[in-house]
Every structure is written in C-alpha cells, then in structure tokens.
Amino acid sequence: LTLAPASPPFLSSGHPRLDTTGSWIAFESVANFTGQNSDFSSEIYRMRPDGTAKQQISAMESFQRSWKPDISGSGNLIVYSSTGNPFGTNPDHNGELFLWDASTGSTRQLTVTTDGVNEDARISEDGAWIYFISTAPIVEFDPDHPRDGYRIEVATGRIERVVALRLSNPTVAGVLDPSD
C-alpha cells in the first residue's frame, strides 16, 4: 500500500492506525507520495485501506520529523507528535502534539513546551479526548524528566494530568515526613 517508486529505496513507512469504520489509515512515512515531501522528512499521511486517496497531513520543514499518528473513529481527526514549527509556536523544535481536522483541512498545535517530549498520543473513538505521555514540565518541573500521562479535551484544549503523583517525593505523595 505504501510503495513509493519515485522515492529512494531505503525509505519506509510505519505506525499505521485504522479508524473504526475501516475507511482511513493514518501512518508516518519518509516517502514522497504526494509530491510535497521532496526532502524526505518524516511526515504523517492518511489514505484509504486500498492504498488510494493518499493525503499528506503534516508539512514539516527539513530536518524535522512527525511521528506516531492516531486517528479518531470517524477518520476525521489525526493527532501526531512533531518537532516542526509550522505556526511559529515551536521555535525550539521540541516534540509537540498537533491535531489535523479533515472537516476544515486545518492543523492546530495542542501542546507548547520548551523541554521534554509530548508523544504516544491516542485519540478517543469519538474524538473528544487525546491521551498522551510527556516528559515536559506541564504540571510540575522535574529535572530527571519522568514520563507522565495527560489528556487534552479537544474542544477546549484543556490539559489534565491523568496519573498519580510520583512516589519520589514522599511528602507530596501523602507519606508523612519523619522530621515533621
């Protein structure tokens, strides 16, 4: 389905996700399926399960990458991680989350962080929530970059932490400090 004869033979595609209707597949690739990826950067695509109707969703500048997409149940929303800076809001090229909407053909940046990585996003079947892992200091600063779970409400952009506090700080975790 992802054979790209016009691309160098070493290029690959991966991380496919199928919507629940079986109508669309989202995946990442360094191939140039649509003629918009002449620098062969890692981009996000959407296509029909028979390999037709390929669309390039992301459009990152050279030496940036997009990876691990997920697709809503209807196939109309695709979330992915990227180091790109398409809106001027990611000048440090941090790993941020982006959401593409087929109904408008537009993309929006969901996270804006200056450290760590936001990735492994999964969108709910109805497209209302996006769950992801982050090493960025979204809720609290931690210099050793633990991986914490969060979710984004798609309608509002509000981010919530969905994991418990870390045990590395017993006072915060509810364990009494013996010096108290």
Side-chain angles (χ1 to χ4, degrees):
L1 294 176
T2 59
L3 181 63
S7 301
F10 59 86
L11 299 181
S12 64
S13 301
H15 297 101
R17 303 288 293 180
L18 179 67
D19 72 9
T20 56
T21 66
S23 300
W24 292 103
I25 299 171
F27 64 99
E28 69 182 66
S29 183
V30 293
N32 188 10
F33 296 115
T34 62
Q36 299 170 297
N37 192 21
S38 59
D39 65 351
F40 303 108
S41 58
S42 179
E43 301 288 357
I44 304 302
Y45 292 88
R46 181 175 90 146
M47 72 176 174
R48 296 284 186 190
D50 64 2
T52 62
K54 286 184 181 81
Q55 298 171 277
Q56 185 173 324
I57 303 305
S58 63
M60 298 305 132
E61 57 272 25
S62 295
F63 306 110
Q64 301 307 318
R65 65 185 276 256
S66 299
W67 68 96
K68 290 189 179 176
D70 195 28
I71 191 166
S72 64
S74 67
N76 289 328
L77 297 174
I78 296 175
V79 63
Y80 59 94
S81 297
S82 182
T83 59
N85 186 22
F87 309 115
T89 51
N90 191 23
D92 57 357
H93 298 285
N94 201 46
E96 303 293 357
L97 295 181
F98 292 83
L99 181 68
W100 179 79
D101 185 337
S103 66
T104 62
S106 63
T107 301
R108 69 179 182 165
Q109 187 172 334
L110 298 174
T111 59
V112 178
T113 57
T114 57
D115 193 21
V117 176
N118 303 289
E119 61 185 351
D120 297 327
R122 294 293 175 253
I123 191 166
S124 61
E125 184 176 347
D126 64 3
W129 294 95
I130 296 170
Y131 292 81
F132 67 101
I133 300 295
S134 180
T135 59
I138 293 175
V139 174
E140 60 189 322
F141 175 74
D142 193 332
D144 63 354
H145 295 77
R147 292 172 54 87
D148 290 318
Y150 296 91
R151 71 179 184 172
I152 298 172
E153 185 176 26
V154 172
T156 65
R158 183 179 53 140
I159 299 176
E160 299 175 339
R161 186 174 178 159
V162 293
V163 295
L165 295 172
R166 290 187 281 296
L167 293 176
S168 61
N169 185 343
T171 303
V172 173
V175 177
L176 294 176
D177 184 343
S179 64
D180 287 344

